[in-house]
Amino acid sequence: MQAAEGISKLPVFKEVDGHFHPAPFYLSEEMFGGLDVEIAGGPIDHLVNQPVADVHTHDVPEIYLLLSPEPGGAKIRIEVDGETHVLESPANFYVPAGARHRFLTLEATKGSYCLGLLLNYQRKK
């Protein structure tokens, strides 16, 4: 049995293909002896109309989780393989492995977050 442990110096920043700057991770596959799920992202209220990544792909599926203090407090536009989708918080959105994607924050009240859950357990072998 593994001993209980915690990590308090978060987020950790990692280079991610297609992103303009290292991405903040709250869970990464290197933590706790190896994880099958990663959580990246963070607050988006300061990112309205400021893209954080170019169109890119991952070798695993990603789920966007859009949250805000009040329903409707955040809105993002997601492009996936040439199709555009608009989400209003609270919402989630599944991006298949290998899909060309990016998102842009359209509106966000203070305390709004967009998190990306990378499903590494589905990595192709």
Side-chain angles (χ1 to χ4, degrees):
M1 176 182 277
Q2 184 175 351
E5 68 177 286
I7 299 171
S8 59
K9 293 183 180 177
L10 296 173
V12 296
F13 290 86
K14 293 174 52 174
E15 296 286 338
V16 177
D17 287 344
H19 287 245
F20 301 134
H21 305 286
F25 280 76
Y26 292 89
L27 286 178
S28 70
E29 62 185 335
E30 299 83 16
M31 294 177 179
F32 306 114
L35 295 176
D36 290 332
V37 175
E38 295 183 285
I39 300 176
I44 57 172
D45 55 293
H46 65 291
L47 296 173
V48 174
N49 294 319
Q50 295 181 42
V52 297
D54 203 352
V55 175
H56 62 284
T57 65
H58 300 289
D59 64 346
V60 298
E62 180 175 19
I63 297 173
Y64 286 127
L65 181 58
L66 182 62
L67 304 167
S68 62
E70 298 292 329
K75 188 184 292 187
I76 62 173
R77 181 179 67 228
I78 302 169
E79 296 174 35
V80 180
D81 288 336
E83 291 186 21
T84 301
H85 308 269
V86 176
L87 295 183
E88 189 172 291
S89 63
N92 59 45
F93 190 89
Y94 181 82
V95 178
R100 296 179 48 78
H101 67 282
R102 68 176 164 189
F103 83 88
L104 178 68
T105 302
L106 301 176
E107 300 172 16
T109 58
K110 186 173 174 73
S112 296
Y113 279 72
C114 186
L115 301 174
L117 287 74
L118 296 160
L119 308 178
N120 295 338
Y121 66 88
Q122 292 190 9
R123 183 169 274 130
K124 295 176 184 172
K125 303 217 182 222

